[in-house]
Structure formats: C-alpha cells, structure tokens
C-alpha cells in the first residue's frame, strides 16, 4: 500500500553487534512499518534510519546495496542492532 506519493518502508532487524542485549528490547527478526509503527522503534535507531529512509523514498540508491534497500546499524555502542530498510512494492 502506498500512502500518498511516498513508497512504504519496512524496517527489519537482521542482526546485532556486541554482547549485550538491546536496551529497548529489540531482537533479530522484528519488523516495523516505518509510517505506522514508528513509536515502537528505539529513538536511537530512528535517528540513524532517517537518512537512509529519505534516500530510498526519493529514489536514491546506496553503493553496494541492492536497489530499494539500505542496511545500517543503530548508534548504541553497547549493542549495535543491524537494520534493513526496504521499499515495499505495491504488489506485496
């Protein structure tokens, strides 16, 4: 589903770096709809996610990443959760 003219974005936690658990309680495998579930996502992760989401929403690509996706980490030094942002195609 597309809200207005911006494509929908799904965030998925794909991994973690570090020995501690996420301070917000996130775990590998969680998925979020960026527009409707933003309040469930750690603010530190959202701060890191925004530039990538902006790039994807406006048709940009990131070097070395498949079109329509961006992988990034949150900024927590104790445990960096790895996120994948992806544009959701209308047929999904």
């Amino acid at each position: 589903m597309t809200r207005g003219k911006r494509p929908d974005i799904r965030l998925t936690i794909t991994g973690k770096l570090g020995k501690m658990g996420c301070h917000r309680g996130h775990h590998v495998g969680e998925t979020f709809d960026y527009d409707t579930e933003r309040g469930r996502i750690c603010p530190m992760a959202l701060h890191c996610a925004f530039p990538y989401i902006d790039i994807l929403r406006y048709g940009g690509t990131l070097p070395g990443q498949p079109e329509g996706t961006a992988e990034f980490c949150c900024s927590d030094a104790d445990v960096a959760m790895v996120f994948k942002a992806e544009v959701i195609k209308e047929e999904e």
Side-chain angles (χ1 to χ4, degrees):
M1 170 191 331
T2 301
R3 291 172 193 85
K5 294 183 181 190
R6 299 177 307 173
D8 293 342
I9 302 289
R10 176 175 43 226
L11 296 174
T12 303
I13 300 175
T14 60
K16 79 179 191 87
L17 308 170
K19 296 178 182 176
M20 295 187 70
C22 172
H23 294 97
R24 181 76 178 224
H26 290 314
H27 59 274
V28 174
E30 276 186 287
T31 62
F32 307 92
D33 177 279
Y34 177 73
D35 290 305
T36 64
E37 298 179 303
R38 206 175 301 170
R40 294 181 45 218
I41 305 169
C42 172
M44 287 170 54
L46 282 175
H47 179 78
C48 296
F50 180 76
Y52 297 103
I53 290 167
D54 215 29
I55 289 167
L56 295 176
R57 281 210 161 144
Y58 292 100
T61 58
L62 294 150
Q65 306 233 359
E67 186 176 334
T69 66
E71 194 167 37
F72 61 92
C73 292
C74 73
S75 60
D76 189 335
D78 293 325
V79 58
M81 301 302 287
V82 181
F83 287 80
K84 179 170 87 172
E86 57 191 323
V87 173
I88 304 304
K89 307 286 187 211
E90 286 202 37
E91 61 269 7
E92 287 187 41

